[in-house]
Amino acid sequence: MQLGRLRNIGADHTRHGLIAFYDDDVYPIEPDQLWRTARMMQERGLDFIASNIRSEGDVQSAAPITQDVIYDFNNMLNNLWEPGLMVKREAFAATRFDPTLGIGCIHGSSEGMDFGYRLLKAGYKGQRVATLFIDHPPLDSNVDVNIERYFFYSLGNGSALLQHGYRYVYVRAIFRASARVVVSLLTGNKPRAKAAFVRVLCLMAGPFLPRRNARLLPRNHIKAPAYVLPPVAEQA
């Protein structure tokens, strides 16, 4: 079962007005972060909020921010991701995660950008907040280990970028990966050249491969509990 679909199923079973998503390898830095996030959404009149990131190591899963980001169609790509995301229930119900994007699918990434784009298109407002941190472990720096991740992530990147009209970003991503192939070969770094070459091919192939729902687990493994928040007023 694909992760986005599991999130959708879990959200369908909630009754609270807010839904929060956390991956199994992240945790909020502050013990009251869920309450603080809910309070910020209320005070700022927002429909969704994404957290900042704290990560150590050479290869971070996402870049941290130093000031709040007000989401628009130009900054969604690198600023909305699913771990540490809180969204109003009605906004989520009107958009939901695309079950053909993300871990478990051939297009193994960009479900966050796709979700955020559709939230904005539907008229919902959101921010990424610099003072709300979640901890995420660094990614493996071994290029050989990450070939599979480059493969699936690049397919998702290419497909979602063109789907939402990010043609310039799409072309730039192919150009940068191509340049990395050349530089890596000239410097004798064959593993890095191989990874970059995989990224080039998959960026180009992603938009042309048909999207498919994934089914990695039997049908009866579909229960995905969502985090149920206490009412904000009770925390005051």
Side-chain angles (χ1 to χ4, degrees):
M1 184 72 70
Q2 191 266 344
L3 185 57
R5 187 178 177 194
L6 290 174
R7 288 171 175 151
N8 292 342
I9 293 172
D12 287 341
H13 286 78
T14 65
R15 295 295 179 266
H16 196 277
L18 299 174
I19 303 172
F21 295 95
Y22 286 87
D23 285 0
D24 58 358
D25 58 351
V26 305
Y27 62 89
I29 301 299
E30 301 294 336
D32 64 344
Q33 183 168 318
L34 285 169
W35 175 76
R36 288 175 58 214
T37 306
R39 196 59 173 259
M40 283 185 182
M41 289 182 64
Q42 185 180 67
E43 293 174 347
R44 300 183 183 187
L46 300 175
D47 301 297
F48 62 102
I49 279 182
S51 300
N52 204 352
I53 183 173
R54 184 186 74 178
S55 182
E56 300 177 355
D58 295 331
V59 185
Q60 297 187 10
S61 57
I65 56 174
T66 57
Q67 59 185 3
D68 294 353
V69 174
I70 300 174
Y71 286 122
D72 59 38
F73 291 106
N74 296 316
N75 62 24
M76 186 62 65
L77 177 61
N78 295 315
N79 282 298
L80 196 142
W81 59 326
E82 311 78 64
L85 172 67
M86 183 178 290
V87 58
K88 287 185 177 179
R89 189 166 181 264
E90 62 267 25
F92 184 84
T95 49
R96 305 168 65 84
F97 285 105
D98 186 337
T100 68
L101 285 173
I103 296 175
C105 295
I106 186 69
H107 295 85
S109 70
S110 299
E111 67 271 31
M113 184 270 284
D114 170 78
F115 179 56
Y117 182 92
R118 288 185 289 108
L119 281 167
L120 290 183
K121 190 175 181 180
Y124 296 109
K125 298 185 296 184
Q127 294 181 13
R128 185 179 179 196
V129 179
T131 58
L132 296 172
F133 281 93
I134 63 169
D135 185 275
H136 193 296
L139 302 178
D140 197 315
S141 60
N142 187 316
V143 177
D144 287 329
V145 172
N146 287 320
I147 290 292
E148 183 176 340
R149 179 166 58 87
Y150 288 131
F151 178 86
F152 289 107
Y153 274 40
S154 298
L155 289 173
N157 293 159
S159 179
L161 283 172
L162 285 191
Q163 174 191 355
H164 294 297
Y166 291 97
R167 294 178 179 84
Y168 171 76
V169 180
Y170 174 72
V171 173
R172 186 179 64 181
I174 293 176
F175 176 80
R176 292 179 63 181
S178 300
R180 193 173 295 121
V181 173
V182 175
V183 172
S184 299
L185 288 175
L186 291 176
T187 57
N189 192 336
K190 292 183 179 179
R192 192 166 183 260
K194 180 181 178 181
F197 182 67
V198 168
R199 178 160 175 77
V200 171
L201 291 181
C202 292
L203 281 169
M204 297 174 67
F208 301 98
L209 290 178
R211 298 271 191 89
R212 295 184 182 277
N213 292 320
R215 185 172 296 134
L216 301 183
L217 297 174
R219 283 183 178 272
N220 58 345
H221 288 74
I222 61 173
K223 295 182 179 180
Y227 193 98
V228 179
L229 295 167
V232 177
E234 294 181 6
Q235 299 288 332

